[in-house]
Amino acid sequence: MASPLFTPLTLRGLTLANRIAMSPMLMYMAEDDGCVTDRHFVHYGARALGGCGLVMSEVVAVEAAGRISHHDLGLWHDDQVAGLRRVVDFVHDCGGAFGVQLAHAGRKAKLRSQPLAPSALPYADDFATPAALRSEDIERLRAGYRAAARRALAAGVDLLEIHAAHGYLLHSFLAPLSNRRDDAWGGSLEGRARLVLEVVAAVREVWPAERPLAVRLTALDFVDGGVTIDEGLWLAARLVEAGVDLLDVTTGNLVPGHAAPVYPGYQVQYAERVRAATGCAVATVGSLASADLMEEILGAGRVDLVCVGRELIRNPNWPIECARRAGVDIALAIPTYARATGPYERGF
Ligand SMILES: Cc1cc2nc3c(=O)[nH]c(=O)nc-3n(C[C@H](O)[C@H](O)[C@H](O)COP(=O)(O)O)c2cc1C
């Protein structure tokens, strides 16, 4: 029987061995310098050994002020490249690909410095009131994304993802609830979408044509003044025109307490709509821990890639278990793992 889950996926010059991506998950374990530590190396390396086709990094800040916490990774400095390179090389050695999620926390930052946002509106009562970005800050931001993309390239990263969801900076620009600007980056949908499109253009300028670019996009926000599904679909089409190859579709969290009801695969329907509207490859994410369900949504052509978060924290070898269940022989990074996962009945 065919296994859609273990069918390779090609995006530009990158071919993923299977359709399982580790979803970006911030581990809060960097020092204040934003460099990769041994814990990151083992954490990401374990998921590559476990058979993920694509291992995605957690949020990687494009500037120090764009971190969620003082324990985030960053690519705002050349010193941050070497540690990342070590992770990427190891993932490649295991037969996987490595993606970096470039991010700016915006008003969700919990730092000693004041957060930055489209408008001076706090995310919630226990968050600091942000400073509204000036046009010179926006220029610096675009340059920051561009420089971070160059550093990711120097580290050998295969795929870049721009984080434009979950209430962080680029998402907060998209919604009237968090963006009250009356300049070129606010007001109409075109104005609110301007920054994310400028960031994509800036990154695409330096990110080579053979490497795919993704955006983690909110399809809708479930709150008045948030992104509507029509706006989400409109933006998805603009992103594809701007050179995006994969739309990683999520929803909600623009403000606390407004998110989709959760059940296995609860965001598949939105990814499917984005795929139908744009023809672009899409990823889905959210409570997907059933190989059978994943085979169905991939096999039916509803999505192209599945991002798995917490299940891969619980079980880094989950992709190997899925392959065994599907009866698919995969190239194991440590062939001796077959003694436990292959047809052997006994351990000796
Ligand atoms: C500990 C943790 C950290 C997360 N950090 C990020 C992140 O850095 N970037 C991001 O886009 N989403 C982040 N998320 C959201 C996940 O990528 C994913 O969308 C969410 O957990 C739903 O998928 P799951 O049900 O498979 O865990 C995080 C989730 C968890 C549990």
Side-chain angles (χ1 to χ4, degrees):
M1 194 164 60
S3 168
L5 200 47
F6 289 92
T7 302
L9 173 66
T10 297
L11 298 165
R12 296 203 184 213
L14 175 68
T15 297
L16 305 176
N18 59 56
R19 306 298 179 101
I20 303 173
M22 175 156 104
S23 201
M25 283 181 290
L26 174 56
M27 290 293 114
Y28 300 94
M29 58 187 181
E31 301 295 328
D32 213 12
D33 62 6
C35 289
V36 167
T37 64
D38 281 354
R39 275 197 171 79
H40 292 102
F41 180 78
V42 174
H43 168 69
Y44 290 114
R47 275 70 196 177
L49 287 174
C52 283
L54 176 66
V55 179
M56 282 300 304
S57 79
E58 59 205 89
V59 281
V60 171
V62 297
E63 61 176 14
R67 291 174 291 176
I68 294 168
S69 78
H70 287 277
H71 299 289
D72 293 19
L73 291 175
L75 272 178
W76 68 81
H77 197 284
D78 289 346
D79 291 349
Q80 291 158 334
V81 172
L84 185 61
R85 171 107 233 170
R86 185 168 165 241
V87 173
V88 175
D89 287 349
F90 183 75
V91 171
H92 287 167
D93 192 43
C94 294
F98 193 82
V100 156
Q101 186 186 53
L102 293 181
H104 193 295
R107 65 183 190 157
K108 286 180 80 178
K110 286 221 161 172
L111 299 172
R112 290 183 285 275
S113 55
Q114 190 183 16
L116 300 167
S119 305
L121 300 164
Y123 173 70
D125 290 347
D126 54 340
F127 282 70
T129 300
L133 285 161
R134 298 160 305 168
S135 54
E136 56 267 39
D137 297 322
I138 291 180
E139 179 52 44
R140 187 196 66 237
L141 258 178
R142 284 193 299 256
Y145 274 95
R146 203 183 286 117
R150 276 206 194 93
R151 293 189 184 104
L153 184 62
V157 168
D158 301 291
L159 174 147
L160 273 187
E161 175 170 279
I162 310 289
H163 195 351
H166 301 166
Y168 297 108
L169 186 75
L170 295 177
H171 181 190
S172 66
F173 262 85
L174 293 171
L177 195 61
S178 43
N179 181 347
R180 305 273 170 81
R181 301 177 76 94
D182 54 12
D183 65 2
W185 291 276
S188 65
L189 175 58
E190 285 79 1
R192 287 179 273 123
R194 181 171 164 176
L195 183 59
V196 66
L197 290 168
E198 286 178 345
V199 164
V200 164
V203 168
R204 198 70 266 187
E205 262 169 42
V206 297
W207 192 240
E210 72 278 7
R211 294 190 198 216
L213 180 61
V215 170
R216 181 160 263 201
L217 168 77
T218 197
L220 78 165
D221 277 330
F222 305 100
V223 61
D224 285 345
V227 173
T228 65
I229 183 74
D230 287 342
E231 290 176 335
L233 295 175
W234 176 88
L235 178 60
R238 301 295 81 72
L239 291 168
V240 175
E241 286 164 7
V244 169
D245 310 292
L246 176 72
L247 293 163
D248 174 9
V249 181
T250 180
T251 62
N253 288 328
L254 175 70
V255 287
H258 293 271
V262 174
Y263 53 85
Y266 61 97
Q267 300 191 116
V268 173
Q269 58 184 307
Y270 305 112
E272 193 175 12
R273 287 185 70 173
V274 168
R275 192 179 199 259
T278 61
C280 182
V282 294
T284 188
V285 64
S287 288
L288 285 160
S290 149
D292 289 346
L293 177 57
M294 288 164 62
E295 296 283 15
E296 192 282 328
I297 59 178
L298 289 161
R302 301 175 68 194
V303 304
D304 301 278
L305 186 69
V306 177
C307 296
V308 179
R310 291 161 300 159
E311 185 60 21
L312 280 168
I313 291 185
R314 290 187 280 269
N315 180 3
N317 292 324
W318 190 68
I320 297 179
E321 287 178 15
C322 292
R324 183 188 195 191
R325 191 185 164 95
V328 176
D329 246 342
I330 56 169
L332 294 165
I334 299 182
T336 310
Y337 279 12
R339 297 271 294 266
T341 62
Y344 295 101
E345 295 295 322
R346 298 162 65 131
F348 57 90

